[in-house]
Amino acid sequence: MRLVQFELSNGERRVGVVEQGLVREVQDARSVRDLALAAIEAGVNLERQVQTLGLGISHDYSALLANLQILPPLDHPDPAHMLVSGTGLTHLGSASARDKMHQQFGDETAMTDTMRIFKWGVEGGKPATGRAGVQPEWFYKGDGSIVVRPGKPFPLPPFAEDAGEEPELSGLYVIGHDGKPYRLGFAVGNEFSDHVMERKNYLYLAHSKLRSCSYGPELRVGELPQHLAGTSRILRDGEVLWQNEFLSGEANMCHSLENLEYHHFKYSQFLRPGDVHIHFFGTATLSFADGIRTQPGDVFEISQAEFGAPLINGIEPVEAAFEPGTVGTL
C-alpha cells in the first residue's frame, strides 16, 4: 500500500491510497499522523486501519502532482514537533564517494575518520536481532519547517556554497502515546546538502546539513525490500545534465535498519508522544562526486519503481533571513 497526503482545491487536507493512476480518499482521514496514532491505539497496522475506515472518491494523481497539491506523506501540525535527521556512511559505496583518497583498510593510523567509521560499520553495523551494533554517523537536519513539498524548489540561501542532491530512502515514524516509536514505512528522499562546505573540513558537516529537504511523494507502507535500485538525475533546461543509478536496501548497506533505528531512538528526548520523525538512511551516489555543480533552475528527479511517482524538486535562490550584527539587545 502507498499513501499520500494532499490538498483539495479549497485547501482542505486529505489522505489517499494510490491505485493505478488514481488517488482514492481514505474516509474521515485528514492526516497520516492521525491515521497512524489511531492505528496504534487500536493495536493494528496502518494498512488495516485504512481498510477499517474504507476508501471514498477518486482523484487524478497526475493532476494533483502537476498542481502541486501533493504534500509530504507525513508531517506534524506544529513543525517544532517534527525532527528531521539522518545517518551517513551507511551504504557499501558511501565511503568512496566521501573519500576517494583513502581506500585501504589495513593500518587504521593511515585512515581518515571517514574511512575509520565506515570500516567500523562494515565490521559491526549488522548485529544479531535485538542487540546494539556500532554507532553510525548521525546528523541533525532541522525541524518540520525545512521540509519542501514534492514539486516545489529547494530554497538556496545566499550563504550556501553548493546545492547538491542526496538520493536516499527515509524512514517515517510517529511516537505513540506509549512513548514508543512506530515506523509507518518508507519514502524516497532528497536530503539536499552543501557538499562544498562539507569538503572544506569534516567538522563543517553539521553546517552543511542545515538545508531544506524533501521526501515522497508516496509513503510505502510495510517492510523494505532487501535490494532496491533507483535513478537519480539532474535536468538543466529540460535536458539531462547528469544521471546515475543509486542502490539501497539492507543488501547494499553496512548497517541494518534495526541498528540505525536503535541509535536514533535510544535518546529519550526523541521519544516524546505524538512527535514525528523523518530519518534519512544515507546514500552512495552523489553528482558532486562526479564534479557536477548545480545552479538555480536545475531540477532533481529521484525515482525508484517500488515507491511510485518520482520525487521532483528544483532550486530557487532566496534572500537572507538574517544579516550579521542584527541581533537585538534587551
Side-chain angles (χ1 to χ4, degrees):
M1 178 178 284
R2 301 198 306 273
L3 298 175
V4 293
Q5 296 190 125
F6 64 101
E7 293 175 332
L8 301 177
S9 56
N10 62 5
E12 292 183 6
R13 291 173 57 116
R14 295 290 189 272
V15 174
V17 174
V18 179
E19 292 182 346
Q20 300 178 338
L22 298 175
V23 173
R24 296 193 63 191
E25 288 188 19
V26 180
Q27 301 276 28
D28 301 319
R30 297 296 178 266
S31 79
V32 169
R33 174 180 172 270
D34 289 345
L35 192 68
L37 290 173
I40 294 168
E41 290 298 306
V44 300
N45 63 26
L46 200 54
E47 188 167 355
R48 177 61 62 86
Q49 183 66 16
V50 169
Q51 293 169 347
T52 298
L53 293 176
L55 301 180
I57 63 173
S58 298
H59 302 263
D60 182 79
Y61 190 21
S62 60
L64 293 175
L65 286 166
N67 294 330
L68 302 181
Q69 291 172 260
I70 297 292
L71 302 166
L74 178 64
D75 56 6
H76 195 290
D78 180 357
H81 284 276
M82 180 172 165
L83 177 68
V84 185
S85 57
T87 51
L89 299 171
T90 54
H91 285 65
L92 294 174
S94 57
S96 61
R98 281 270 202 107
D99 193 355
K100 291 183 177 180
M101 296 294 292
H102 298 272
Q103 298 294 329
Q104 75 275 15
F105 287 105
D107 180 8
E108 283 211 13
T109 62
M111 292 183 189
T112 63
D113 286 336
T114 290
M115 292 305 294
R116 191 172 292 114
I117 290 179
F118 177 72
K119 178 176 179 284
W120 293 345
V122 170
E123 294 173 345
K126 292 185 175 180
T129 299
R131 302 191 65 178
V134 68
Q135 293 186 127
E137 177 188 47
W138 183 96
F139 61 86
Y140 169 75
K141 186 111 184 116
D143 64 15
S145 66
I146 67 160
V147 176
V148 174
R149 75 170 64 187
K152 289 270 194 171
F154 292 121
L156 183 66
F159 56 78
E161 300 182 58
D162 181 41
E165 88 297 336
E166 294 207 13
E168 306 188 17
L169 293 183
S170 55
L172 281 58
Y173 305 85
V174 168
I175 309 301
H177 295 303
D178 54 4
K180 297 179 181 179
Y182 292 84
R183 186 199 322 124
L184 282 62
F186 302 88
V188 169
N190 188 338
E191 197 253 297
F192 191 66
S193 300
D194 190 329
H195 300 111
V196 171
M197 182 175 292
E198 179 187 350
R199 185 175 61 180
K200 286 182 174 179
N201 189 300
Y202 76 95
L203 294 177
Y204 280 163
L205 175 70
H207 284 283
S208 75
K209 295 297 185 183
L210 294 174
R211 300 292 186 273
S212 296
C213 69
S214 189
Y215 52 92
E218 302 173 29
L219 161 62
R220 187 183 190 278
V221 175
E223 297 300 318
L224 189 69
Q226 286 289 305
H227 172 79
L228 290 163
T231 301
S232 177
R233 66 177 186 167
I234 301 172
L235 305 177
R236 179 172 293 171
D237 299 325
E239 302 291 332
V240 176
L241 173 70
W242 175 88
Q243 179 172 308
N244 208 343
E245 179 184 59
F246 75 98
L247 303 177
S248 196
E250 287 191 344
N252 300 296
M253 299 172 69
C254 54
H255 284 265
S256 65
L257 293 174
E258 180 181 286
N259 193 51
L260 298 179
E261 290 172 334
Y262 166 71
H263 285 296
H264 177 67
F265 289 112
K266 68 184 181 183
Y267 298 106
S268 59
Q269 63 266 40
F270 295 162
L271 299 175
R272 185 164 47 199
D275 278 10
V276 165
H277 289 251
I278 309 299
H279 195 72
F280 287 94
F281 290 119
T283 188
T285 304
L286 303 173
S287 66
F288 181 77
D290 292 336
I292 300 296
R293 292 296 302 272
T294 62
Q295 62 188 37
D298 288 351
V299 175
F300 302 113
E301 184 178 290
I302 299 172
S303 59
Q304 279 192 331
E306 293 85 354
F307 289 82
L311 175 63
I312 299 173
N313 300 95
I315 309 171
E316 183 177 77
V318 295
E319 295 182 359
F322 180 77
E323 297 290 349
T326 57
V327 172
T329 301
L330 297 179

